[in-house]
Amino acid sequence: MSNTVHEEPYPIDRPALYVVATPIGNLRDLTPRAQAILASADLIAAEDTRVTGQLLKHFGIDTRMMSLREHNEREAAEKLIARLAEGQAVAQVSDAGTPAVSDPGARLVAAVHAAGYKVVPIPGASALLAALAGAGMQSPRFQFHGFPEPKSGARRKEFETLKALPHTIAFFEAPHRIAESLVDMAEVFGPDRVAVVCRELTKTFETLRRAPLAELASWVAADSNQQRGELVVLVEAAPEQAADDAASFDSVLAPLVRELPMKQAVKLAAEITGGNRNALYERALQLKGD
């Protein structure tokens, strides 16, 4: 096996599983370390060997590959653990981005850990982190929710469970569903809630648009070009609950206040409802007084 990327073999641990991030559009985003790992590994487990084959060809890498897809991940994991038992180094990649983030890989990684072998993440391109970096969301926390439900009714119920969360919510969305999904977001999260649509990140037609959800829904509906390619949607955190509005959480807060110390009751109520802790504390004092 020839390693054309490096004149000298890259120092690589054996046995070990290397979870390697690959470009999401721009080939320059494959890091030198990732190139070296892919060239030095004994085997690459790829979501689609045709896609990965093109990437390897571009960088002059001829490491052997095998398929690891969602439908065969359990069986493939057994075969790869057998390779690790033989003392080999295995690299795992998805078609684009970081494996195991809405892509195959998590089951394999868990199995390798359980078998007692080393797992080494090789960071790099990530549509999720690229979107967060370019969105300007002020919340210091975010929740990645993956792909929403495909049907509108279930999707709206899903959004209802998320709308009060006090942190940024990140979604992936399919191009054929983005227009309807934004309409549902505007309906449930509110038309004025700010969001960012990130499309085709790192690619030629990369687009980031930050606006209220109602405006984003209209913009995407009016432009079919915005209904193409890979999409990340970030929705800003719910506004802090005003003290006067904290009473809307009485069904949760009141029983907790009756049974638990004040601080514990407020802490649990904030976690359950997403309400502002200070406002909930003020409301809890009122309930105690009553």
mmCIF file of all heavy atoms in Angstrom, residues 74-103:
data_model
loop_
_atom_site.group_PDB
_atom_site.id
_atom_site.type_symbol
_atom_site.label_atom_id
_atom_site.label_comp_id
_atom_site.label_asym_id
_atom_site.label_seq_id
_atom_site.Cartn_x
_atom_site.Cartn_y
_atom_site.Cartn_z
ATOM 1 N N ARG A 74 -24.234 -2.507 12.281
ATOM 2 C CA ARG A 74 -24.003 -3.500 13.328
ATOM 3 C C ARG A 74 -23.083 -4.619 12.828
ATOM 4 O O ARG A 74 -22.128 -5.006 13.502
ATOM 5 C CB ARG A 74 -25.334 -4.082 13.801
ATOM 6 C CG ARG A 74 -25.222 -4.928 15.062
ATOM 7 C CD ARG A 74 -26.574 -5.527 15.439
ATOM 8 N NE ARG A 74 -27.590 -4.504 15.611
ATOM 9 C CZ ARG A 74 -27.772 -3.811 16.726
ATOM 10 N NH1 ARG A 74 -26.986 -4.039 17.771
ATOM 11 N NH2 ARG A 74 -28.725 -2.899 16.810
ATOM 12 N N GLU A 75 -23.386 -5.147 11.634
ATOM 13 C CA GLU A 75 -22.552 -6.216 11.074
ATOM 14 C C GLU A 75 -21.152 -5.708 10.741
ATOM 15 O O GLU A 75 -20.152 -6.388 10.996
ATOM 16 C CB GLU A 75 -23.210 -6.789 9.812
ATOM 17 C CG GLU A 75 -24.533 -7.485 10.074
ATOM 18 C CD GLU A 75 -25.184 -7.936 8.780
ATOM 19 O OE1 GLU A 75 -24.613 -7.684 7.707
ATOM 20 O OE2 GLU A 75 -26.264 -8.535 8.861
ATOM 21 N N ALA A 76 -21.081 -4.500 10.182
ATOM 22 C CA ALA A 76 -19.785 -3.931 9.839
ATOM 23 C C ALA A 76 -18.939 -3.701 11.088
ATOM 24 O O ALA A 76 -17.711 -3.893 11.066
ATOM 25 C CB ALA A 76 -19.970 -2.622 9.076
ATOM 26 N N ALA A 77 -19.585 -3.299 12.178
ATOM 27 C CA ALA A 77 -18.850 -3.069 13.422
ATOM 28 C C ALA A 77 -18.161 -4.351 13.885
ATOM 29 O O ALA A 77 -17.012 -4.316 14.345
ATOM 30 C CB ALA A 77 -19.790 -2.546 14.498
ATOM 31 N N GLU A 78 -18.851 -5.472 13.758
ATOM 32 C CA GLU A 78 -18.245 -6.752 14.156
ATOM 33 C C GLU A 78 -17.004 -7.053 13.310
ATOM 34 O O GLU A 78 -15.976 -7.495 13.828
ATOM 35 C CB GLU A 78 -19.270 -7.877 14.016
ATOM 36 C CG GLU A 78 -20.454 -7.759 14.977
ATOM 37 C CD GLU A 78 -21.487 -8.837 14.744
ATOM 38 O OE1 GLU A 78 -21.275 -9.681 13.848
ATOM 39 O OE2 GLU A 78 -22.514 -8.844 15.462
ATOM 40 N N LYS A 79 -17.102 -6.809 12.012
ATOM 41 C CA LYS A 79 -15.961 -7.056 11.126
ATOM 42 C C LYS A 79 -14.801 -6.120 11.449
ATOM 43 O O LYS A 79 -13.629 -6.528 11.426
ATOM 44 C CB LYS A 79 -16.392 -6.880 9.677
ATOM 45 C CG LYS A 79 -17.415 -7.903 9.203
ATOM 46 C CD LYS A 79 -17.841 -7.634 7.767
ATOM 47 C CE LYS A 79 -18.877 -8.654 7.306
ATOM 48 N NZ LYS A 79 -19.341 -8.370 5.926
ATOM 49 N N LEU A 80 -15.124 -4.873 11.767
ATOM 50 C CA LEU A 80 -14.060 -3.909 12.048
ATOM 51 C C LEU A 80 -13.390 -4.191 13.389
ATOM 52 O O LEU A 80 -12.179 -3.998 13.534
ATOM 53 C CB LEU A 80 -14.634 -2.491 12.010
ATOM 54 C CG LEU A 80 -15.063 -2.030 10.616
ATOM 55 C CD1 LEU A 80 -15.851 -0.729 10.697
ATOM 56 C CD2 LEU A 80 -13.858 -1.860 9.702
ATOM 57 N N ILE A 81 -14.170 -4.643 14.357
ATOM 58 C CA ILE A 81 -13.562 -5.011 15.641
ATOM 59 C C ILE A 81 -12.631 -6.199 15.453
ATOM 60 O O ILE A 81 -11.572 -6.294 16.092
ATOM 61 C CB ILE A 81 -14.661 -5.293 16.682
ATOM 62 C CG1 ILE A 81 -15.336 -3.960 17.085
ATOM 63 C CG2 ILE A 81 -14.087 -5.981 17.922
ATOM 64 C CD1 ILE A 81 -16.561 -4.120 17.954
ATOM 65 N N ALA A 82 -12.986 -7.102 14.548
ATOM 66 C CA ALA A 82 -12.082 -8.215 14.231
ATOM 67 C C ALA A 82 -10.772 -7.694 13.648
ATOM 68 O O ALA A 82 -9.689 -8.228 13.933
ATOM 69 C CB ALA A 82 -12.764 -9.182 13.266
ATOM 70 N N ARG A 83 -10.854 -6.641 12.828
ATOM 71 C CA ARG A 83 -9.637 -6.026 12.281
ATOM 72 C C ARG A 83 -8.796 -5.402 13.398
ATOM 73 O O ARG A 83 -7.564 -5.514 13.396
ATOM 74 C CB ARG A 83 -10.007 -4.950 11.261
ATOM 75 C CG ARG A 83 -10.712 -5.460 10.020
ATOM 76 C CD ARG A 83 -9.793 -6.270 9.138
ATOM 77 N NE ARG A 83 -10.383 -6.531 7.842
ATOM 78 C CZ ARG A 83 -9.879 -6.131 6.687
ATOM 79 N NH1 ARG A 83 -8.752 -5.435 6.671
ATOM 80 N NH2 ARG A 83 -10.486 -6.423 5.555
ATOM 81 N N LEU A 84 -9.466 -4.761 14.345
ATOM 82 C CA LEU A 84 -8.737 -4.183 15.471
ATOM 83 C C LEU A 84 -8.058 -5.285 16.287
ATOM 84 O O LEU A 84 -6.936 -5.104 16.773
ATOM 85 C CB LEU A 84 -9.689 -3.369 16.355
ATOM 86 C CG LEU A 84 -10.340 -2.135 15.711
ATOM 87 C CD1 LEU A 84 -11.318 -1.498 16.678
ATOM 88 C CD2 LEU A 84 -9.303 -1.125 15.263
ATOM 89 N N ALA A 85 -8.739 -6.403 16.420
ATOM 90 C CA ALA A 85 -8.162 -7.529 17.161
ATOM 91 C C ALA A 85 -6.898 -8.054 16.493
ATOM 92 O O ALA A 85 -6.034 -8.644 17.144
ATOM 93 C CB ALA A 85 -9.196 -8.649 17.296
ATOM 94 N N GLU A 86 -6.798 -7.826 15.183
ATOM 95 C CA GLU A 86 -5.601 -8.231 14.440
ATOM 96 C C GLU A 86 -4.492 -7.183 14.529
ATOM 97 O O GLU A 86 -3.434 -7.346 13.934
ATOM 98 C CB GLU A 86 -5.964 -8.473 12.976
ATOM 99 C CG GLU A 86 -6.916 -9.643 12.761
ATOM 100 C CD GLU A 86 -7.405 -9.735 11.329
ATOM 101 O OE1 GLU A 86 -6.981 -8.880 10.502
ATOM 102 O OE2 GLU A 86 -8.204 -10.624 11.032
ATOM 103 N N GLY A 87 -4.784 -6.080 15.244
ATOM 104 C CA GLY A 87 -3.773 -5.038 15.416
ATOM 105 C C GLY A 87 -3.799 -3.960 14.355
ATOM 106 O O GLY A 87 -2.819 -3.226 14.188
ATOM 107 N N GLN A 88 -4.905 -3.827 13.635
ATOM 108 C CA GLN A 88 -4.973 -2.848 12.557
ATOM 109 C C GLN A 88 -5.499 -1.500 13.035
ATOM 110 O O GLN A 88 -6.122 -1.382 14.096
ATOM 111 C CB GLN A 88 -5.856 -3.380 11.427
ATOM 112 C CG GLN A 88 -5.308 -4.623 10.756
ATOM 113 C CD GLN A 88 -6.100 -5.009 9.514
ATOM 114 O OE1 GLN A 88 -6.886 -4.222 8.982
ATOM 115 N NE2 GLN A 88 -5.886 -6.227 9.047
ATOM 116 N N ALA A 89 -5.266 -0.488 12.212
ATOM 117 C CA ALA A 89 -5.827 0.847 12.416
ATOM 118 C C ALA A 89 -6.918 1.060 11.375
ATOM 119 O O ALA A 89 -6.695 0.866 10.180
ATOM 120 C CB ALA A 89 -4.752 1.921 12.269
ATOM 121 N N VAL A 90 -8.096 1.444 11.834
ATOM 122 C CA VAL A 90 -9.250 1.631 10.960
ATOM 123 C C VAL A 90 -9.674 3.093 11.026
ATOM 124 O O VAL A 90 -9.769 3.675 12.115
ATOM 125 C CB VAL A 90 -10.422 0.728 11.391
ATOM 126 C CG1 VAL A 90 -11.664 1.013 10.546
ATOM 127 C CG2 VAL A 90 -10.034 -0.744 11.289
ATOM 128 N N ALA A 91 -9.945 3.702 9.870
ATOM 129 C CA ALA A 91 -10.509 5.048 9.812
ATOM 130 C C ALA A 91 -11.966 4.945 9.392
ATOM 131 O O ALA A 91 -12.316 4.119 8.539
ATOM 132 C CB ALA A 91 -9.739 5.914 8.821
ATOM 133 N N GLN A 92 -12.815 5.736 10.003
ATOM 134 C CA GLN A 92 -14.238 5.725 9.641
ATOM 135 C C GLN A 92 -14.645 7.124 9.193
ATOM 136 O O GLN A 92 -14.314 8.123 9.844
ATOM 137 C CB GLN A 92 -15.099 5.283 10.820
ATOM 138 C CG GLN A 92 -16.526 4.909 10.422
ATOM 139 C CD GLN A 92 -17.541 5.992 10.736
ATOM 140 O OE1 GLN A 92 -17.429 6.681 11.740
ATOM 141 N NE2 GLN A 92 -18.546 6.149 9.878
ATOM 142 N N VAL A 93 -15.333 7.194 8.049
ATOM 143 C CA VAL A 93 -15.783 8.480 7.511
ATOM 144 C C VAL A 93 -17.237 8.363 7.067
ATOM 145 O O VAL A 93 -17.713 7.281 6.722
ATOM 146 C CB VAL A 93 -14.923 8.933 6.301
ATOM 147 C CG1 VAL A 93 -13.472 9.128 6.706
ATOM 148 C CG2 VAL A 93 -15.032 7.937 5.148
ATOM 149 N N SER A 94 -17.935 9.489 7.086
ATOM 150 C CA SER A 94 -19.244 9.576 6.453
ATOM 151 C C SER A 94 -19.064 10.267 5.105
ATOM 152 O O SER A 94 -17.949 10.615 4.719
ATOM 153 C CB SER A 94 -20.229 10.333 7.346
ATOM 154 O OG SER A 94 -19.731 11.621 7.656
ATOM 155 N N ASP A 95 -20.152 10.463 4.376
ATOM 156 C CA ASP A 95 -20.025 11.088 3.066
ATOM 157 C C ASP A 95 -19.472 12.503 3.158
ATOM 158 O O ASP A 95 -18.743 12.958 2.274
ATOM 159 C CB ASP A 95 -21.389 11.116 2.362
ATOM 160 C CG ASP A 95 -21.822 9.740 1.890
ATOM 161 O OD1 ASP A 95 -21.000 8.813 1.923
ATOM 162 O OD2 ASP A 95 -23.000 9.592 1.496
ATOM 163 N N ALA A 96 -19.837 13.207 4.224
ATOM 164 C CA ALA A 96 -19.372 14.587 4.408
ATOM 165 C C ALA A 96 -19.560 14.974 5.860
ATOM 166 O O ALA A 96 -20.536 14.581 6.493
ATOM 167 C CB ALA A 96 -20.139 15.548 3.499
ATOM 168 N N GLY A 97 -18.622 15.744 6.378
ATOM 169 C CA GLY A 97 -18.741 16.228 7.740
ATOM 170 C C GLY A 97 -18.229 15.232 8.763
ATOM 171 O O GLY A 97 -17.422 14.352 8.474
ATOM 172 N N THR A 98 -18.733 15.383 9.979
ATOM 173 C CA THR A 98 -18.258 14.590 11.109
ATOM 174 C C THR A 98 -19.133 13.367 11.307
ATOM 175 O O THR A 98 -20.343 13.508 11.489
ATOM 176 C CB THR A 98 -18.243 15.449 12.387
ATOM 177 O OG1 THR A 98 -17.412 16.599 12.167
ATOM 178 C CG2 THR A 98 -17.709 14.672 13.563
ATOM 179 N N PRO A 99 -18.568 12.170 11.274
ATOM 180 C CA PRO A 99 -19.368 10.959 11.477
ATOM 181 C C PRO A 99 -20.124 10.979 12.803
ATOM 182 O O PRO A 99 -19.710 11.634 13.763
ATOM 183 C CB PRO A 99 -18.322 9.842 11.464
ATOM 184 C CG PRO A 99 -17.186 10.392 10.666
ATOM 185 C CD PRO A 99 -17.154 11.857 11.003
ATOM 186 N N ALA A 100 -21.247 10.247 12.828
ATOM 187 C CA ALA A 100 -22.078 10.071 14.021
ATOM 188 C C ALA A 100 -22.903 11.310 14.366
ATOM 189 O O ALA A 100 -23.605 11.315 15.382
ATOM 190 C CB ALA A 100 -21.251 9.647 15.230
ATOM 191 N N VAL A 101 -22.850 12.367 13.565
ATOM 192 C CA VAL A 101 -23.721 13.530 13.749
ATOM 193 C C VAL A 101 -24.760 13.481 12.648
ATOM 194 O O VAL A 101 -24.540 13.962 11.533
ATOM 195 C CB VAL A 101 -22.925 14.856 13.708
ATOM 196 C CG1 VAL A 101 -23.867 16.036 13.948
ATOM 197 C CG2 VAL A 101 -21.807 14.851 14.738
ATOM 198 N N SER A 102 -25.888 12.834 12.928
ATOM 199 C CA SER A 102 -26.920 12.547 11.932
ATOM 200 C C SER A 102 -26.361 11.742 10.758
ATOM 201 O O SER A 102 -26.848 11.841 9.637
ATOM 202 C CB SER A 102 -27.581 13.841 11.424
ATOM 203 O OG SER A 102 -28.461 14.354 12.395
ATOM 204 N N ASP A 103 -25.329 10.991 10.997
ATOM 205 C CA ASP A 103 -24.696 10.103 10.020
ATOM 206 C C ASP A 103 -24.302 8.825 10.744
ATOM 207 O O ASP A 103 -24.208 8.808 11.983
ATOM 208 C CB ASP A 103 -23.442 10.759 9.411
ATOM 209 C CG ASP A 103 -23.768 11.692 8.254
ATOM 210 O OD1 ASP A 103 -24.758 11.433 7.550
ATOM 211 O OD2 ASP A 103 -23.032 12.673 8.062
#
